Amino acid sequence: MAAPATLPFTRSSTLQTLTRTLSPRGPLPLRRGFLHLPTLAAFPRLSRAPRLCRLHVSASAAAPNGASAEGEYDYDLFTIGAGSGGVRASRFASTLYGARVAVCEMPFATVASDEHGGVGGTCVLRGCVPKKLLVYGSKYSHEFEESRGFGWMYETDPKHDWSTLIANKNTELQRLVGIYRNILNNAGVTLIEGRGKIVDPHTVSVDGKLYTAKNILVAVGGRPSMPNIPGVEHVIDSDAALDLPSKPEKIAIVGGGYIALEFAGIFNGLKSEVHVFIRQKKVLRGFDEEVRDFLAEQMSLRGITFHTEQSPQAVTKSNDGLLSLKTNKETISGFSHVMFATGRKPNTKNLGLEDVGVEMDKNGAIVVDEYSRTSVDSIWAVGDVTNRINLTPVALMEGGAFVNSAFGNEPTKPDYRAVPSAVFSQPPIGQVGLTEEQAIEEYGDVDIFVANFRPLKATLSGLPDRVLMKLIVCATTNKVLGVHMCGDDAPEIIQGIAIAVKAGLTKQDFDATIGIHPTSAEEFVTMRNPTRKIRKNTTAQVDSKDEVVTKK
């Protein structure tokens, strides 16, 4: 990559006037030190299409660590969105580098809207946390069934009170909002309630009041997306599903991704009749094929009905208040609720991004470079709004990396290697690394180790529960490329396994590890013989994919 040309200068009103004259977008953002003229190769995500040349102008300042001089701007950093990534970046910038930081967020509500959000963001208020609480609540029905084989007797089946669960869940959300407010306050971050909109590269309007900042961080996350079909006004999304006034008696869930399957498990566990409609033949596109098949089978055994290769066409409401769902294949009636879990989209509407020249892709995601900087030099973005890897821990990582880059004089790229993830379906999935299909495409020659067994608990419960565990190993280097599990405690187990995969450990390392008995997890260190061997590439081609491990 060609080194950028640098011209030292001192800041003056003449230079400010010059930058306003030269810039096709208005005032150019200022950074400290030099006038940078980088090549487009320095911004791989920004060099995909021809564009006007953008000068990076920097201004010298006495303040350390990337902060602006006192009085130059109201803040060194203004963050729009107090979710996971925004809170992490804001408090790190303040506590680690002494930056003057403000973050704006809309008032709290359990269901998001254009006027409501809440400190904590999607994960805390209408995603990971409340979802997991409902998963916990719904699992008891299965455990009641299991208990009979262990001698527990019930004269009548236990009954569930939906209103108690929702009330307790909302109380916990209020507690968490308070905790996040305290986190920001203790870090010296100013919290401003209201909707933020970018006015220019250094100015944010919050409900009409203007604030200036050297750096602006957009961390507004995403929102549920629904297809525009007749009757969509009768449909709920995942936000509403977490705060319904009553439990569904019979629910249609449209979608085959992790959100759809998690809610299918929740409502099935709470004894609703659940139908899942998916456009493709299988659930969980992008996951390991063997895991996809296994989970669908296990969920079907628990009473969930799958309707494959069906796309929604209309929803109608009858006089008795019940709903009918029409697809390309059939019409099914009698639903108390129809839920669409058909994806999420970046929450970039009405932020003023287009007006200041921030580039977005066709789906509305903010385009950033490897350091989370947008096409406007002073504006950055992290989390789901960039549509990279849409996971809360990834947003936290991106927020920390941004702070190092912007304030620590330490350019830091987020590390997306071996990111573990989970689906809190019933049974749940945990995974890290490559799927079998990805490993074959990238490495060619791989060994696949699979264990599909009845867990110890099921031997007495008598239920048809099973566990699937899978190791994917490079045949040449013996490095473990991917680990997948579907069964009880899979997310907890995979979190530990992810350390090994991230560290690049080999199958010999797994084999040399002593298992804990009796556990399902010990299968990961006792699978000795490959279930199948796949050979497609030459040894030389495989070596080149994993040169470091090969040399070791």
Side-chain angles (χ1 to χ4, degrees):
M1 181 178 71
T6 59
L7 295 174
F9 69 92
T10 58
R11 183 177 176 190
S12 66
S13 59
T14 303
L15 175 64
Q16 293 280 20
T17 303
L18 178 61
T19 60
R20 290 187 176 92
T21 304
L22 291 176
S23 173
R25 297 176 182 157
L28 282 175
L30 295 176
R31 286 190 296 163
R32 302 171 59 213
F34 298 95
L35 174 66
H36 295 280
L37 303 176
T39 64
L40 281 178
F43 301 94
R45 293 194 65 184
L46 305 180
S47 59
R48 295 176 294 192
R51 63 173 66 208
L52 292 174
C53 178
R54 177 164 61 90
L55 299 179
H56 291 241
V57 181
S58 304
S60 60
N65 297 331
S68 59
E70 189 71 29
E72 182 181 5
Y73 299 109
D74 296 328
Y75 298 99
D76 302 310
L77 172 65
F78 196 103
T79 302
I80 304 176
S84 300
V87 169
R88 171 64 62 88
S90 297
R91 70 184 184 91
F92 275 21
S94 178
T95 57
L96 298 181
Y97 299 109
R100 295 170 297 141
V101 183
V103 57
C104 71
E105 180 56 74
M106 295 184 292
F108 167 75
T110 52
V111 177
S113 68
D114 290 340
E115 295 80 31
H116 293 92
V119 177
T122 298
C123 176
V124 173
L125 304 180
R126 57 195 67 89
C128 323
V129 173
K131 176 266 310 278
K132 188 73 178 291
L133 292 175
L134 266 61
V135 168
Y136 282 139
S138 65
K139 286 176 64 178
Y140 283 104
S141 63
H142 191 71
E143 292 170 357
F144 291 146
E145 290 184 56
E146 291 176 317
S147 69
R148 297 183 185 277
F150 291 86
W152 288 94
M153 306 298 292
Y154 306 94
E155 293 184 5
T156 60
D157 288 336
K159 294 183 178 180
H160 182 264
D161 182 62
W162 173 264
S163 61
T164 298
L165 173 60
I166 297 303
N168 290 341
K169 180 265 295 182
N170 287 340
T171 299
E172 173 61 10
L173 297 191
Q174 291 281 8
R175 187 185 73 88
L176 292 173
V177 168
I179 287 176
Y180 270 77
R181 284 178 175 272
N182 287 336
I183 287 173
L184 291 171
N185 182 62
N186 294 338
V189 175
T190 301
L191 176 60
I192 301 169
E193 189 169 84
R195 181 177 179 84
K197 182 176 182 179
I198 299 175
V199 177
D200 67 41
H202 293 282
T203 307
V204 176
S205 169
V206 182
D207 295 338
K209 185 173 181 179
L210 300 180
Y211 301 88
T212 61
K214 182 178 181 181
N215 296 284
I216 297 172
L217 175 66
V218 182
V220 294
R223 294 273 295 275
S225 175
M226 289 202 216
N228 185 20
I229 64 170
V232 73
E233 66 272 14
H234 304 307
V235 174
I236 63 172
D237 59 20
S238 58
D239 282 12
L242 288 167
D243 204 45
L244 292 172
S246 60
K247 184 194 74 173
E249 294 300 320
K250 179 180 178 181
I251 185 168
I253 300 177
V254 178
Y258 71 94
I259 295 175
L261 299 190
E262 288 173 342
F263 276 98
I266 288 169
F267 292 125
N268 173 255
L270 295 174
K271 298 303 182 181
S272 302
E273 182 182 339
V274 179
H275 294 253
V276 178
F277 296 81
I278 59 177
R279 288 181 296 176
Q280 301 184 10
K281 292 182 178 180
K282 296 182 180 183
V283 299
L284 294 178
R285 181 180 62 181
F287 283 68
D288 187 272
E289 292 292 325
E290 207 163 359
V291 174
R292 297 172 74 185
D293 293 336
F294 181 86
L295 177 62
E297 179 184 7
Q298 286 291 301
M299 294 182 71
S300 296
L301 288 173
R302 297 193 184 195
I304 295 172
T305 302
F306 286 94
H307 305 260
T308 59
E309 298 181 279
Q310 296 200 29
S311 299
Q313 294 185 343
V315 176
T316 56
K317 189 173 185 178
S318 60
N319 292 333
D320 59 5
L322 296 179
L323 303 173
S324 298
L325 176 64
K326 179 184 179 182
T327 72
N328 57 311
K329 286 187 176 181
E330 59 183 336
T331 298
I332 300 181
S333 304
F335 293 111
S336 61
H337 297 78
V338 174
M339 173 184 170
F340 279 10
T342 49
R344 295 176 64 84
K345 60 183 179 182
N347 189 24
T348 50
K349 186 178 178 182
N350 297 326
L351 281 180
L353 297 170
E354 303 94 330
D355 297 335
V356 297
V358 172
E359 182 183 356
M360 293 180 284
D361 68 16
K362 63 180 181 180
N363 298 316
I366 297 176
V367 176
V368 294
D369 65 15
E370 292 176 295
Y371 301 95
S372 298
R373 176 174 259 145
T374 74
S375 54
V376 176
D377 204 43
S378 58
I379 300 176
W380 311 65
V382 298
D384 290 9
V385 75
T386 65
N387 198 29
R388 287 177 282 184
I389 297 180
N390 297 337
L391 296 169
T392 296
V394 172
L396 296 174
M397 172 183 64
E398 291 172 352
F402 150 72
V403 170
N404 291 339
S405 298
F407 296 96
N409 196 27
E410 184 183 345
T412 303
K413 300 177 184 178
D415 183 0
Y416 299 109
R417 296 174 300 119
V419 173
S421 63
V423 180
F424 292 98
S425 49
Q426 299 181 42
I429 292 172
Q431 64 172 11
V432 62
L434 303 181
T435 66
E436 179 177 343
E437 297 71 36
Q438 291 168 339
I440 292 171
E441 180 178 353
E442 185 171 345
Y443 287 84
D445 295 3
V446 294
D447 293 336
I448 309 297
F449 298 78
V450 179
N452 184 331
F453 59 93
R454 189 183 190 189
L456 180 62
K457 193 175 186 179
T459 61
L460 292 193
S461 73
L463 299 180
D465 297 351
R466 297 190 68 81
V467 175
L468 176 71
M469 303 174 76
K470 185 170 184 178
L471 291 173
I472 300 158
V473 180
C474 176
T476 303
T477 66
N478 210 235
K479 179 181 177 180
V480 176
L481 304 175
V483 183
H484 304 262
M485 178 178 175
C486 183
D488 284 349
D489 301 318
E492 304 285 350
I493 292 169
I494 290 297
Q495 178 64 85
I497 294 290
I499 301 171
V501 176
K502 183 79 170 183
L505 299 190
T506 65
K507 184 62 169 61
Q508 286 100 325
D509 295 317
F510 276 63
D511 293 344
T513 302
I514 303 300
I516 299 173
H517 184 75
T519 64
S520 294
E522 68 181 307
E523 284 292 321
F524 279 129
V525 298
T526 58
M527 290 188 280
R528 295 290 186 264
N529 299 313
T531 304
R532 53 187 172 272
K533 297 182 177 182
I534 296 156
R535 301 291 181 266
K536 286 197 173 183
N537 290 346
T538 66
T539 301
Q541 287 173 318
V542 178
D543 283 349
S544 67
K545 291 288 186 182
D546 207 348
E547 189 175 347
V548 174
V549 176
T550 301
K551 289 179 179 179
K552 287 183 179 179

